[in-house]
Amino acid sequence: MFALADCNSFYASCEQVFRPDLRGKPVVVLSNNDGCIVARSKEAKALGIPDLQPFFKIENLLRRNKVAIFSSNYALYGDLSRRVMETLQTFSPAIEVYSIDEMFLDLAGMGNDPGSYSRTIRETLWQHVGIPMSIGVAPSKTLAKLANKVAKKAPACEGVCVLDEARKWRWVLDRMPVREVWGVGRQMERRLGDLGIRTARDLANANPKILRRHGSVNLERTIEELNGRPCLELEDVPGDKQQIYSTRSFGTKARSLVPLQEAVAHYASNAGEKLRKQRHLARAVHVFFHTSPHEPRYHSASAVMQLPYPSDDIRLIVATARQIARNIYTPGHAFLKAGVGLLNIVDRQHHQFDLLQPGQNTRADTLMSTMDAINRKVGRCAVFLAAQGTHRPWAMRQQFRSPRYTTHWDELPKVRA
């Protein structure tokens, strides 16, 4: 049996951990630059506040209903996610971290009552971290995903749904639109609809050999999974990224080359940090930036440049990114967003260097390791390149950001006894 443990309204729940006065009250979290609503507590959903709605359009509605508004606080969410996963992995020897707020657990050998065991998991997580969670249990990962949806939406389940018998999951499949099935996107939903497949039960009853002509082997596996025959194993270690990007919208539009180059340097440094974390090297750098698509004089620019040798040295990566930005920059525009991507990534351990090009030297490796160690110990961006700027007027807007309670010394919560 597989269990999918998924935190409820994770970002909003994180904000409530250190603000118990907001429990049971509507809370929303905004995207980068406070643009759109990306998370809502169940109380906010009950008010009819839509997901992914631009903040400026419904700000008055939020104020009238006394909804607590927060900017995205990724430092807090990332640290609480780590604590959630550390707690969950004590309940099974075989796990798969699926996303920042989801984990699959193999419940084989964990007792004869998966429902009771799942309730213990929920209660322990609430006690240790203070995050509410829903758990779906079933003989396959795809069914566990659907069980989790039921656990979230059906109050009678009290956060746990166990589909351990065919009659139970067939009852759910009859009432579940096919778009709710894991792996079925909008385009696939349209294709299946043309074939008369509109519910998850329709898909489970379909002939996999015939449907493969309209999809792929993954669709065959989904059908098997919906019938309680597991085809998808747990992935113990997530795969390495083949491309690494760092992109952001600007808090203040960049109207000249200097702030644009600073932002590009900062994003290149962030991407380089991720690259070193998975112990890989990049062969090429991609830089892009554009103005607002809603403006009449929309302008975008993009280019890729090869590095002289595979590298994870941010000095080389940042210098290349700044050079690209200089080459493709056109004055007279107010740029809204930029991004840097590292391409053609190779594994450092297995990379074979060119006979005539020795590649990155050991001094660069030592410097990068030292910078990463300092930033891990003291705090992110404790050490950075001057090219990234210090004032950073282009930095992301976060006017409603809560304190980073668990990762910054000067923002730790104060307790008065």
Side-chain angles (χ1 to χ4, degrees):
M1 297 291 282
F2 294 95
L4 176 63
D6 184 12
C7 299
N8 299 339
S9 305
F10 182 61
Y11 287 1
S13 295
C14 288
E15 298 294 351
Q16 292 172 323
V17 169
F18 293 96
R19 289 286 306 276
D21 58 306
L22 294 179
R23 293 207 182 275
K25 297 181 180 179
V27 174
V28 298
V29 178
L30 307 178
S31 63
N32 293 338
N33 278 312
D34 299 337
C36 299
I37 293 175
V38 293
R40 302 160 295 161
S41 66
K42 64 179 182 180
E43 294 80 13
K45 295 176 184 177
L47 291 174
I49 296 171
D51 193 20
L52 300 178
Q53 185 77 4
F55 172 60
F56 75 91
K57 287 187 176 182
I58 60 170
E59 182 176 2
N60 291 335
L61 173 65
L62 299 178
R63 303 293 187 188
R64 284 198 306 270
N65 288 279
K66 298 181 179 179
V67 178
I69 304 167
F70 291 95
S71 302
S72 294
N73 188 344
Y74 298 118
L76 177 64
Y77 308 154
D79 190 59
L80 289 183
S81 172
R82 176 186 61 80
R83 298 178 187 216
V84 167
M85 300 309 167
E86 287 178 353
T87 301
L88 292 177
Q89 67 185 8
T90 63
F91 287 93
S92 174
I95 61 170
E96 175 190 340
V97 177
Y98 183 66
S99 71
I100 190 173
D101 62 345
E102 292 179 272
M103 176 186 280
F104 283 104
L105 300 92
D106 188 348
L107 298 187
M110 297 293 109
N112 298 323
D113 188 349
S116 176
Y117 194 67
S118 297
R119 284 187 284 273
T120 299
I121 295 175
R122 291 184 75 245
E123 292 166 3
T124 303
L125 184 69
W126 178 259
Q127 182 180 15
H128 288 190
V129 189
I131 297 288
M133 169 169 282
S134 297
I135 300 178
V137 181
S140 70
K141 291 171 70 176
T142 303
L143 282 176
K145 270 276 193 180
L146 292 179
N148 190 277
K149 293 179 183 290
V150 176
K152 284 183 180 295
K153 295 179 180 179
C157 290
E158 297 182 342
V160 175
C161 176
V162 180
L163 303 180
D164 54 353
E165 299 177 20
R167 63 179 180 85
K168 294 181 181 179
W169 68 68
R170 286 170 184 161
W171 187 91
V172 171
L173 296 179
D174 279 333
R175 292 156 178 79
M176 196 71 69
V178 72
R179 65 176 176 273
E180 298 289 342
V181 176
W182 189 26
V184 176
R186 292 183 179 179
Q187 186 174 359
M188 180 58 66
E189 181 188 8
R190 287 194 294 269
R191 291 181 188 173
L192 294 175
D194 293 339
L195 298 173
I197 298 174
R198 292 177 174 80
T199 69
R201 182 69 178 273
D202 293 337
L203 182 57
N205 291 338
N207 187 318
K209 301 301 180 184
I210 294 177
L211 280 192
R212 186 169 182 178
R213 303 172 193 167
H214 303 273
S216 66
V217 67
N218 291 331
L219 196 55
E220 281 191 76
R221 291 172 180 161
T222 298
I223 294 173
E224 293 295 314
E225 291 256 319
L226 290 175
N227 286 285
R229 296 184 287 270
C231 297
L232 304 174
E233 301 295 330
L234 294 180
E235 298 180 10
D236 297 333
V237 180
D240 291 322
K241 296 179 180 178
Q242 301 304 306
Q243 299 178 344
I244 295 177
Y245 273 84
S246 177
T247 65
R248 287 287 186 277
S249 296
F250 299 148
T252 301
K253 293 179 181 178
R255 301 178 182 275
S256 65
L257 180 59
V258 172
L260 191 61
Q261 282 189 308
E262 285 186 358
V264 164
H266 185 67
Y267 302 155
S269 178
N270 288 345
E273 183 181 349
K274 297 176 185 177
L275 180 71
R276 293 191 298 277
K277 197 170 185 178
Q278 70 176 40
R279 298 191 57 77
H280 279 53
L281 305 172
R283 290 194 178 111
V285 178
H286 174 214
V287 173
F288 70 88
F289 40 79
H290 60 75
T291 62
S292 171
H294 304 294
E295 293 181 356
R297 294 180 62 238
Y298 175 73
H299 175 75
S300 65
S302 173
V304 175
M305 183 179 291
Q306 296 290 323
L307 294 173
Y309 49 82
S311 176
D312 63 5
D313 186 344
I314 61 168
R315 296 173 300 173
L316 175 61
I317 292 172
V318 165
T320 303
R322 284 169 55 86
Q323 179 62 49
I324 297 173
R326 187 182 304 112
N327 293 344
I328 64 176
Y329 172 73
T330 302
H333 297 284
F335 293 98
L336 176 66
K337 185 175 183 178
V340 176
L342 303 182
L343 312 179
N344 299 337
I345 292 175
V346 294
D347 192 320
R348 163 186 283 275
Q349 189 175 6
H350 304 296
H351 174 64
Q352 183 175 350
F353 289 98
D354 192 297
L355 178 64
L356 303 178
Q357 173 55 263
Q360 185 166 297
N361 59 48
T362 55
R363 292 185 64 184
D365 294 338
T366 302
L367 177 59
M368 293 301 102
S369 298
T370 302
M371 286 184 63
D372 290 340
I374 293 172
N375 287 332
R376 280 195 303 270
K377 183 176 182 179
V378 181
R380 199 163 184 215
C381 289
V383 179
F384 60 91
L385 299 185
Q388 296 174 233
T390 54
H391 180 52
R392 300 179 184 175
W394 43 266
M396 184 171 59
R397 278 197 311 272
Q398 293 180 301
Q399 61 176 318
F400 306 110
R401 183 181 65 78
S402 57
R404 293 160 291 187
Y405 295 105
T406 63
T407 56
H408 282 67
W409 286 107
D410 56 347
E411 298 180 24
L412 293 178
K414 295 178 175 61
V415 178
R416 295 179 175 84

